[in-house]
Amino acid sequence: MPLIVVTTSPRVAPGLLGHRAWQALQEGPVRTGSAAHPHLPYLAEAGIEVEVVVPDPPALVREAQEATVVWLEADEALMRSIGHAAVALDDPPVIEIVPGSYDLPGARLLDLVGVMDRLRVECPWDARQTHESLAPYLIEEAYEVLETIEEGDHAALREELGDLLLQVAFHARVARDRAGAGVGGGSGDSDDGGFDIDDVADGIVSKLVRRHPHVFADTRVDGAGEVSANWETIKAAERAAKNGGDPGSAVDGVPMGQPALSLAAQLLRRAERAGAPVELPEGVPADGLGARLFELVRQAHAAGLDPEAELRAVARAYRDRVRDGLP
């Protein structure tokens, strides 16, 4: 006879179980070690009695030698104990694992949301943060991600991306509190309104679907260049929709607060795609330091180089020389 272990995911709504799990739960007495298991009310509603007991692996496997026994939920330690108890028997029962529910990709993001909710309520430091107070951390974490990419440290990249993801979740949680305070409607429709992490995800999903009609609609493209051209056309239409029909400028939306080298490079990229001139306007001294730096950025752009990355590489080499005390 088998010992059937039905597992569930805490990230899936209670009561949602697969067909095989519902079948298994009716094949023998059901026991669990947790009186607070979230599925218990739903199983009771379905007429399935669950006995809450202290886990006893040796007794459990001995009972399963004689009749089918169902155990609801088992962590790694309990499964290991059950396995050890089973192999100690001359005639061990079959142990079947039935996933009642399981995580889909992205399910761990729900844990992040839950942890952030708890920190916002229970941690005095997290509770007092605002968008403004968090802004320096957002910039810092973004640069740390960039550094791991440049160094090729993929293990560190995973950690730093987590830190950056925390900033997104944190800002979304702060905005949700703002909505709860009555400042906004929680829909993200107003610049001063509240929103939550689902609104953030909904916005980027809608944007990605809208800007990839060759994937999510029937538009046909011939290569990455055509994808980029379509992207710019769609962005221009979006700007026009926001501005009452005025498509605005290709450089609208370029964040002016970014480092100057990357700012100049982004402005040049946008201007080039729009067919705008890359020369500086009259009145800017051609021999001034700013103009000379801008010309270097233009040359880097023409050569397909990232001036920010190029200067960082040289700065890193200089840092290493100073740190190592080289002559």
Side-chain angles (χ1 to χ4, degrees):
M1 294 294 178
L3 168 60
I4 303 175
V5 179
V6 177
T7 63
T8 63
S9 168
R11 303 169 196 92
V12 176
L16 298 180
L17 296 172
H19 179 65
R20 174 64 188 119
W22 282 111
Q23 284 183 322
L25 289 165
Q26 300 177 63
E27 293 180 11
V30 182
R31 300 190 179 93
T32 186
S34 173
H37 196 288
H39 284 268
L40 295 185
Y42 299 92
L43 297 180
E45 185 178 352
I48 298 174
E49 295 184 7
V50 181
E51 182 182 4
V52 179
V53 299
V54 176
D56 185 347
L60 197 60
V61 295
R62 285 196 300 270
E63 183 180 359
Q65 286 181 301
E66 305 297 330
T68 298
V69 180
V70 181
W71 184 268
L72 178 61
E73 213 60 72
D75 58 21
E76 184 177 345
L78 179 57
M79 285 301 304
R80 190 181 301 112
S81 296
I82 289 174
H84 289 162
V87 298
L89 300 176
D90 293 333
D91 183 24
V94 173
I95 300 176
E96 179 183 358
I97 308 297
V98 177
S101 58
Y102 55 90
D103 293 340
L104 294 174
R108 293 289 289 178
L109 295 176
L110 297 175
D111 291 348
L112 174 59
V113 173
V115 168
M116 194 66 254
D117 284 347
R118 185 168 178 180
L119 290 176
R120 187 68 173 167
V121 172
E122 299 182 22
C123 174
W125 187 90
D126 290 282
R128 66 181 294 192
Q129 299 310 306
T130 64
H131 295 305
E132 292 74 19
S133 69
L134 291 172
Y137 303 105
L138 179 62
I139 297 171
E140 177 182 332
E141 299 299 351
Y143 277 121
E144 290 183 1
V145 169
L146 181 59
E147 184 174 7
T148 62
I149 292 173
E150 291 181 343
E151 294 179 350
D153 190 344
H154 293 163
L157 175 60
R158 172 186 173 182
E159 178 180 352
E160 297 301 341
L161 284 173
D163 291 342
L164 185 58
L165 180 60
L166 168 62
Q167 296 304 309
V168 176
F170 209 150
H171 279 278
R173 185 59 172 82
V174 170
R176 195 185 98 181
D177 287 339
R178 193 171 64 249
V183 177
S187 64
D189 294 335
S190 169
D191 290 342
D192 295 326
F195 54 84
D196 60 19
I197 192 68
D198 287 311
D199 293 316
V200 173
D202 178 69
I204 189 59
V205 167
S206 298
K207 181 183 292 185
L208 289 172
V209 171
R210 188 171 61 250
R211 294 187 181 178
H212 290 79
H214 56 286
V215 175
F216 300 102
D218 55 2
T219 299
R220 300 180 66 86
V221 296
D222 183 18
E226 195 170 342
V227 171
S228 297
N230 287 346
W231 181 282
E232 293 302 323
T233 300
I234 294 168
K235 285 180 63 176
E238 292 171 352
R239 286 196 301 268
K242 288 181 179 179
N243 299 329
D246 180 6
S249 167
V251 294
D252 288 348
V254 173
M256 300 299 290
Q258 63 183 301
L261 285 179
S262 59
L263 169 61
Q266 186 175 3
L267 289 170
L268 285 167
R269 286 195 302 271
R270 293 280 193 95
E272 182 182 60
R273 286 198 294 262
V278 297
E279 294 78 14
L280 291 172
E282 294 183 6
V284 176
D287 59 348
L289 179 60
R292 284 182 285 154
L293 288 172
F294 191 87
E295 175 59 21
L296 287 174
V297 174
R298 190 195 65 76
Q299 293 175 18
H301 173 69
L305 300 174
D306 178 356
E308 192 81 23
E310 294 294 317
L311 183 56
R312 271 199 304 272
V314 174
R316 184 178 293 108
Y318 177 74
R319 176 205 63 184
D320 293 342
R321 179 190 178 190
V322 173
R323 185 172 57 190
D324 296 339
L326 297 177

